[in-house]
């Protein structure tokens, strides 16, 4: 192997120094997070505890496989849900909610949750996230509002 010239040694030294500076900068940023827009540290501005429903531990009486507890009966019915109700689901925005409703109107009521895979933008991962939050209930037409199915009050 041939010896390096002085210019090659200087070039290698510059590359090593740049890599060391970059690693040191990354380490410094990991230890000291950036302040948010109000100037408070991100670590102190966020209250302790889960930030999102996905971060929360499952209910004590929840099914360990799905993380769904006794509230599964309150899951959103795909055949009756409005766009705003669908938009409130995690991972579903207004555009995807509109696509779900358009699919329901074009192809009729959903027969199973897995039929959501036919909606563009919903894949297996999103379907798995929604599994405990959506259900397929009765086969009423999509134009029937939720309040129409409740008994009248006297």
């Amino acid at each position: 192997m041939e010896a390096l010239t002085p210019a090659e040694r200087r070039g290698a030294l510059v590359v090593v120094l740049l890599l060391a500076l970059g690693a040191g900068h990354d380490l410094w940023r990991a230890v000291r997070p950036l302040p948010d827009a109000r100037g408070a540290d991100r670590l102190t501005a966020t209250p302790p505890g889960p930030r999102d429903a996905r971060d929360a531990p499952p209910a004590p009486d929840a099914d360990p496989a799905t993380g769904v507890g006794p509230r599964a009966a309150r899951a959103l019915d795909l055949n009756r849900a409005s766009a705003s109700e669908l938009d409130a689901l995690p991972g579903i925005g207004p555009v995807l909610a509109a696509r779900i409703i358009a699919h329901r109107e074009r192809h009729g009521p959903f027969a199973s949750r897995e039929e959501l895979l036919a909606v563009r933008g919903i894949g297996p991962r999103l379907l798995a996230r929604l599994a405990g939050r959506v259900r397929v209930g009765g086969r009423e037409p999509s134009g029937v509002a939720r309040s129409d199915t409740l008994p009248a009050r006297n």
Side-chain angles (χ1 to χ4, degrees), residues 64-139:
T66 62
V68 178
R71 292 186 162 206
R74 297 185 66 195
L76 189 62
D77 185 0
L78 288 173
N79 292 326
R80 294 182 181 177
S82 67
S84 60
E85 290 171 324
L86 290 168
D87 186 16
L89 292 170
I92 305 288
V95 173
L96 205 47
R99 286 183 193 159
I100 292 170
I101 291 175
H103 183 275
R104 183 175 67 195
E105 290 172 353
R106 192 174 307 122
H107 301 286
F110 291 97
S112 68
R113 285 189 297 229
E114 288 72 26
E115 285 187 20
L116 277 175
L117 292 172
V119 177
R120 191 177 57 137
I122 298 181
R125 288 176 60 192
L126 181 55
L127 182 64
R129 277 180 65 191
L130 296 174
R133 298 173 189 254
V134 296
R135 65 179 173 84
V136 176
R139 306 261 190 235

